[in-house]
Amino acid sequence: MKNTLAFLGCLLCFVLLSRSTQAQYAANIIPKPQQVHSLKSKPVTLSSDSRIYYDARFKPQADYLRQLLQEQTGLNLSLEANGKGARKSGITLQFDTVTVTKPEMYVLESANGKVTLKAGSVNGVVYGIQSLLQLFPVQQANKVQVEPVKIVDFPQHGYRGMHLDVSRHIFPLSFVKKYIDYLAFHKFNNFHWHLSDDQGWRIEIKSYPKLNTVGSWRNATLIGHFKDKPARYDSTRYGGFYTQEQVKEVIAYAKVRGINIIPEIDIPGHSRATIAAYPEFSTRPDTTWNVATTWGMYNRQNNVLAPRPETFKFLKAVFEEVADLFPSPYIHIGGDECSKMWWKASPQAQEFIKQHNLKDEKGLQTYFVEQVAGYLSAKGKKVIGWHEILEGDLDTSTVVMNWAGDKEGTAAAMRNHYVIMSPGKPLYFDHYQTQNPNDSLAIHGYNPLDAVYNFSPVPQALQGKPQAKYILGAQANVWTEYMGSPAKVEYMVFPRMTALSEALWSDPGQKNFDDFKRRLEQNVIPRYKAWGSSYCTDYANWTLDAQ
Ligand code: TNX
């Protein structure tokens, strides 16, 4: 018995030791780097004696690398402020704007006993860190060998975003941070935080406290699908909001990870939570409104703001608070799905249209956008809105987030608007990713993994045209009507987020879906598991052809 135990002990030691040096490979990195060159050198060995050397500008990223490396491998490297390079074995985070010539670029070299990561920006260094971590195994080790390699890498598209709707369901702050970690791993640079909608207001606003005491809470939530007949509801009060202190914490967390947070306050439609709190801003102030309990509002229930002086005073105060809180140069003001029927039915709105010489209700919509753009411009901010804001004539400083198709994206670019492509097909991750009838509930649609992987932000009609420069990049949207928990969000985004990261970062000439799936399996799925994240395990069986 004793001998057997000793033998098993030795075997375990052997397995652990031999595994301790087994690294991952540059050929497995996701998103695929622009250039990977093998070097003629011995692998670089790192152990707990190795250090992380850093340029002072990259101190927060040195801490970040240290923490991630420790979580992933157990190696705990000490830090040393020295951006010139390692005296002994280690990793150097070096500030360099000579070798590094493009925005968000990094150059990573592992050879001759050292790893050097050169970047000219926080984002560059964060992306180099993500690639470097993919050269380490996802397992405890006291020594790791890094492949001798040189990686020269930069993104194909400047705007790489992921959205999260926290109105339909709210998620713990810890999950919002985890979501930001997911974005950083995948080299995204923008997190679009959808903070208000008909079903709940989710950010503390000090100047209008009823937004939180009333607007952040609903009395029930739909169970099952909203098309079910009859629709079923629970009777549980549901809600909450993020305090401004919490928001600041998330902003600081994202900043270290190279992620800009774009907050969205959705107006002038999608405003049921606002008018539940302040009925005087609705077109029917005589009515008692509640925070919406069902999904899919639009024409069915009144949810628009009335063009009254007190509404504009309110919008100014709210957007100023938001602008003061978020460092983002852009603030998203929504503007989607604003049904015009409520303004048509409102004598006050009609009178306003006449008095302000507006053409019609579309003109009124533009008036709202322009007012808010004015408040924000005084704070040095620009506006992003969903493509419906183009229904009227807007000045071109407004960035259009296009959730329709190529046609609308092209039209916006031809009108000289900057555009972020976010087409429902294939970038709505609230749509189904399989056609398995037992798949867990989603809104509708079918956006399988290959559709996401093969997506390209620049519409065909713009290719080769000067207006192609107006396409800033793309974003996937995660509307959470049917996502009541972090695990469900993860199930819906993984592995589609991983596919999108490659569609936005990598050279389209090097894309290959089969090779992507191999790297996903060998390199990224073990990470989902290590992060304790849910994901759709059945992705390989579902493609657009399976439709
Ligand atoms: C449309 S796309 C919406 C959201 C819904 C989503 C469901 C857009 C700007 N608005 O309010 O959650 O469809 O897919």
Side-chain angles (χ1 to χ4, degrees):
M1 181 64 183
K2 237 184 185 173
N3 279 350
T4 320
L5 278 182
F7 171 74
L8 284 177
C10 278
L11 190 66
L12 186 67
C13 280
F14 175 74
V15 170
L16 282 179
L17 274 177
S18 58
R19 288 176 98 195
S20 70
T21 53
Q22 183 198 324
Q24 276 283 349
Y25 301 99
N28 281 359
I29 291 175
I30 286 184
K32 195 174 183 57
Q34 301 275 348
Q35 296 173 24
V36 175
H37 309 278
S38 291
L39 297 178
K40 285 205 180 69
S41 160
K42 280 199 288 201
V44 176
T45 304
L46 296 173
S47 66
S48 46
D49 292 338
S50 311
R51 292 204 177 154
I52 297 172
Y53 302 90
Y54 60 89
D55 182 283
R57 275 166 269 231
F58 298 146
K59 168 76 167 59
Q61 288 68 40
D63 286 329
Y64 172 57
L65 168 61
R66 177 193 191 169
Q67 184 204 334
L68 288 183
L69 194 58
Q70 195 189 356
E71 278 166 18
Q72 185 177 323
T73 65
L75 281 181
N76 187 4
L77 309 196
S78 50
L79 301 188
E80 190 179 316
N82 171 5
K84 292 278 170 285
R87 277 190 300 272
K88 52 189 243 180
S89 136
I91 303 166
T92 304
L93 308 186
Q94 198 170 315
F95 180 76
D96 181 328
T97 49
V98 177
T99 326
V100 175
T101 50
K102 291 175 190 281
E104 305 189 275
M105 177 176 171
Y106 69 90
V107 176
L108 177 65
E109 196 167 327
S110 147
N112 305 321
K114 294 171 190 173
V115 175
T116 309
L117 169 52
K118 295 177 181 171
S121 62
V122 164
N123 285 48
V125 91
V126 168
Y127 305 140
I129 287 172
Q130 306 307 341
S131 293
L132 176 59
L133 287 167
Q134 292 182 52
L135 301 178
F136 291 100
V138 184
Q139 67 189 45
Q140 296 296 299
N142 38 31
K143 227 183 219 173
V144 172
Q145 297 210 319
V146 183
E147 177 190 351
V149 73
K150 179 173 180 181
I151 299 174
V152 178
D153 202 11
F154 50 85
Q156 200 71 28
H157 296 282
Y159 183 102
R160 303 176 305 281
M162 284 294 304
H163 150 286
L164 184 66
D165 165 14
V166 295
S167 172
R168 278 54 180 268
H169 284 102
I170 183 167
F171 306 97
L173 202 71
S174 59
F175 181 69
V176 177
K177 289 182 177 170
K178 202 170 182 195
Y179 195 74
I180 286 168
D181 284 333
Y182 296 152
L183 267 61
F185 174 83
H186 290 96
K187 302 186 171 98
F188 286 93
N189 56 7
N190 279 285
F191 169 46
H192 172 174
W193 205 359
H194 184 80
L195 287 162
S196 80
D197 215 304
D198 298 317
Q199 294 81 3
W201 185 282
R202 302 287 176 234
I203 177 173
E204 178 188 23
I205 297 294
K206 299 197 177 179
S207 51
Y208 284 85
K210 281 201 281 177
L211 285 174
N212 301 120
T213 53
V214 178
S216 297
W217 302 91
R218 62 176 181 254
N219 291 330
T221 298
L222 196 77
I223 313 171
H225 206 278
F226 96 103
K227 286 186 186 144
D228 289 352
K229 292 212 164 62
R232 290 174 304 129
Y233 297 85
D234 66 18
S235 51
T236 314
R237 188 169 143 87
Y238 181 93
F241 61 93
Y242 303 106
T243 65
Q244 293 198 1
E245 281 313 303
Q246 289 176 317
V247 167
K248 285 183 196 156
E249 196 181 315
V250 173
I251 292 169
Y253 190 85
K255 185 176 173 207
V256 174
R257 289 151 181 79
I259 290 168
N260 177 54
I261 303 188
I262 300 172
E264 179 185 356
I265 301 296
D266 201 348
I267 61 119
H270 282 273
S271 296
R272 243 329 244 287
T274 304
I275 65 181
Y278 297 97
E280 59 270 35
F281 305 151
S282 83
T283 58
R284 295 291 306 274
D286 52 334
T287 310
T288 307
W289 300 101
N290 53 9
V291 177
T293 52
T294 188
W295 316 134
M297 304 299 294
Y298 210 13
N299 276 333
R300 293 186 301 136
Q301 290 185 39
N302 193 339
N303 64 346
V304 302
L305 298 176
R308 295 172 202 279
E310 56 271 34
T311 314
F312 292 110
K313 192 172 150 220
F314 163 81
L315 290 175
K316 183 165 188 285
V318 168
F319 278 99
E320 283 180 352
E321 271 193 51
V322 170
D324 286 343
L325 208 47
F326 286 87
S328 169
Y330 292 100
I331 307 288
H332 202 307
I333 67 163
D336 58 313
E337 300 183 325
C338 181
S339 173
K340 309 297 180 292
M341 59 191 265
W342 316 111
W343 286 332
K344 281 201 176 109
S346 155
Q348 186 272 329
Q350 290 305 314
E351 186 55 32
F352 189 93
I353 289 174
K354 224 189 283 160
Q355 272 179 8
H356 288 77
N357 277 328
L358 305 174
K359 215 158 64 200
D360 51 13
E361 292 74 25
K362 286 180 182 169
L364 179 53
Q365 153 123 350
T366 306
Y367 184 89
F368 268 96
V369 174
E370 279 170 348
Q371 291 303 302
V372 176
Y375 312 144
L376 288 173
S377 146
K379 290 274 177 189
K381 307 282 190 191
K382 289 196 184 130
V383 160
I384 303 181
W386 299 107
H387 66 270
E388 289 100 316
I389 59 170
L390 281 187
E391 286 171 0
D393 271 326
L394 273 180
D395 89 71
T396 53
S397 68
T398 311
V399 175
V400 173
M401 189 171 272
N402 171 44
W403 62 277
D406 277 3
K407 200 174 111 221
E408 290 78 357
T410 304
M414 293 309 279
R415 282 167 69 176
N416 300 347
H417 279 274
Y418 281 103
V419 182
I420 297 161
M421 295 295 279
S422 195
K425 263 181 181 303
L427 297 189
Y428 268 37
F429 290 177
D430 60 337
H431 291 199
Y432 284 99
Q433 57 198 317
T434 79
Q435 294 200 315
N436 179 343
N438 298 323
D439 199 352
S440 85
L441 212 56
I443 189 147
H444 50 228
Y446 179 49
N447 288 331
L449 190 64
D450 64 332
V452 178
Y453 187 79
N454 292 321
F455 170 75
S456 162
V458 183
Q460 203 67 42
L462 282 176
Q463 307 245 345
K465 288 215 168 75
Q467 285 86 352
K469 70 163 192 240
Y470 288 121
I471 306 292
L472 296 175
Q475 169 178 299
N477 294 335
V478 184
W479 303 103
T480 56
E481 285 94 334
Y482 300 96
M483 303 182 207
S485 67
K488 181 69 188 282
V489 172
E490 290 167 346
Y491 171 81
M492 296 304 285
V493 302
F494 290 146
R496 291 187 287 190
M497 184 199 285
T498 308
L500 180 61
S501 77
E502 193 146 308
L504 297 183
W505 179 278
S506 306
D507 170 8
Q510 292 190 50
K511 274 170 71 180
N512 176 321
F513 188 51
D514 287 332
D515 184 61
F516 166 75
K517 280 190 290 184
R518 177 190 67 74
R519 285 177 287 129
L520 174 66
E521 207 162 291
Q522 292 179 3
N523 177 20
V524 180
I525 288 182
R527 281 160 216 272
Y528 298 161
K529 291 182 179 160
W531 300 332
S533 315
S534 306
Y535 65 101
C536 174
T537 53
D538 199 21
Y539 62 86
N541 291 323
W542 299 97
T543 59
L544 273 183
D545 296 340
Q547 212 162 14

